[in-house]
Amino acid sequence: MDPTFSVGDRVLLIDAKRRRYLITLREGGEFHTHAGITPHDSLIGAPDGSTVRSGSGARYLAVRPTLADFVLSMPRGAQVIYPKDLGPLLILADIFPGARVLEAGVGSGALSMTLLRAGAEVVGYELREDFAAKAQANVASFLGDGLPYRVELRDVYDGIDETGLDRILLDLPEPWRVVKPALGALRPGGIFVSYLPTIVQVAQLREALDAASFVLAETIEVLQRSWHVEGQSVRPDHRMVAHTGFLTAARRAADPPAAPPGAPGPDTE
Ligand code: SAH
């Protein structure tokens, strides 16, 4: 990636109080706050990580937004999955370049971006037209066009058309309704992952996964505690996000080999 900023790039400006402003560079553009006007031209051609000044002398650190920065500042319709959970989801789902993934629902596209950036090919099912449009706009705006990403306006509870999928990732209220369709849509050894806000939902999902002979089911939550580090004052921050969601993963076993006709069952001898 070019280390200098050019027209059309997104730039995150961070002031002395660590307030963050996401802008898109335009020729002749201006960034206005109570601390004065900063011309975009002072950033065009400047390296990532530069410091710029507004007309009245306020200083801003200018950096390219990371995926996490973008997720936290992009336009949102639906609640997004936060970076704290996005990273672990990639590992739980074992996402790899070229992985064929079904994602439902796509909401604002935070998880879509994370999957695409890790090299997955993603088909999204989404109920709401406005969210589908927002997700696609967010993905294109952060990752550009031409990615292996398609969003279909449909209800995943009605079934899944894709077959031979490597992974299915769900962020919706009743994932147990997707377990049976997932069995047919995933390849043997494929991984099913669900993000759920309450443990009652997790219990219902785990029962459905067991009943459908999914294997290696596991549920985790990720607790992230940030630290205040300033001189001799080094301690955990006073506040932390107490809860976001539970992550559940399970694998589709190969179909059990069909017993030959007349063969004894496991309990008959
Ligand atoms: N993971 C997303 C947020 C998803 S919010 C992100 O990180 O940005 C949940 C989304 O699921 C909503 O957009 C909702 O419209 C969609 N949804 C709920 N039930 C659905 C269903 N049965 N089929 C498809 N999409 C569904």
Side-chain angles (χ1 to χ4, degrees):
M1 189 183 271
D2 186 347
T4 61
F5 297 129
S6 48
V7 172
D9 284 355
R10 274 172 199 287
V11 176
L12 189 67
L13 297 177
I14 303 162
D15 70 12
K17 290 189 172 156
R18 293 231 183 169
R19 282 178 300 220
R20 302 151 82 85
Y21 309 89
L22 189 63
I23 63 169
T24 303
L25 294 182
R26 285 177 295 111
E27 237 168 283
E30 290 180 335
F31 168 66
H32 291 248
T33 64
H34 62 278
I37 297 172
T38 311
H40 288 195
D41 291 347
S42 63
L43 284 161
I44 295 166
D48 190 358
S50 298
T51 298
V52 287
R53 278 171 190 280
S54 74
S56 48
R59 289 157 65 94
Y60 296 99
L61 176 67
V63 289
R64 277 189 208 284
T66 61
L67 175 61
D69 292 329
F70 187 73
V71 163
L72 297 176
S73 61
M74 71 186 189
R76 303 183 211 167
Q79 175 67 267
V80 298
I81 297 181
Y82 284 100
K84 156 178 98 67
D85 296 307
L86 290 170
L89 278 168
L90 283 183
I91 294 294
L92 259 188
D94 192 37
I95 298 300
F96 56 90
R100 294 187 55 230
V101 176
L102 177 90
E103 185 200 348
V106 301
S108 309
L111 180 57
S112 302
M113 275 172 215
T114 307
L115 297 169
L116 289 162
R117 232 217 189 171
E121 296 173 13
V122 181
V123 176
Y125 286 8
E126 171 55 54
L127 276 183
R128 286 185 47 171
E129 195 165 5
D130 53 340
F131 288 164
K134 182 147 286 169
Q136 283 169 298
N138 280 336
V139 164
S141 126
F142 189 66
L143 298 174
D145 296 317
L147 286 159
Y149 185 52
R150 186 175 84 236
V151 180
E152 297 183 6
L153 264 187
R154 54 190 284 180
D155 186 335
V156 74
Y157 301 151
D158 291 340
I160 299 173
D161 285 347
E162 283 67 23
T163 53
L165 289 168
D166 294 304
R167 312 291 185 239
I168 294 178
L169 284 91
L170 304 172
D171 177 8
L172 36 69
E174 299 179 33
W176 47 89
R177 296 175 63 183
V178 189
V179 166
K180 277 208 180 116
L183 212 47
L186 278 172
R187 65 159 169 83
I191 302 179
F192 175 105
V193 173
S194 168
Y195 175 90
L196 282 170
T198 80
I199 206 66
V200 182
Q201 289 166 297
V202 170
Q204 188 161 352
L205 173 62
R206 292 290 299 263
E207 275 181 26
L209 287 167
D210 288 348
S213 304
F214 271 85
V215 295
L216 301 175
E218 58 176 322
T219 298
I220 65 163
E221 64 177 319
V222 178
L223 307 179
Q224 175 175 306
R225 187 166 72 155
S226 63
W227 282 61
H228 171 92
V229 179
E230 203 176 286
Q232 294 303 299
S233 169
V234 180
R235 52 160 176 80
D237 279 329
H238 295 306
R239 292 167 202 276
M240 66 186 280
V241 175
H243 175 67
T244 54
F246 300 103
L247 317 181
T248 297
R251 300 194 76 164
R252 179 200 186 286
D255 294 325
D267 293 321
T268 51
E269 201 46 75

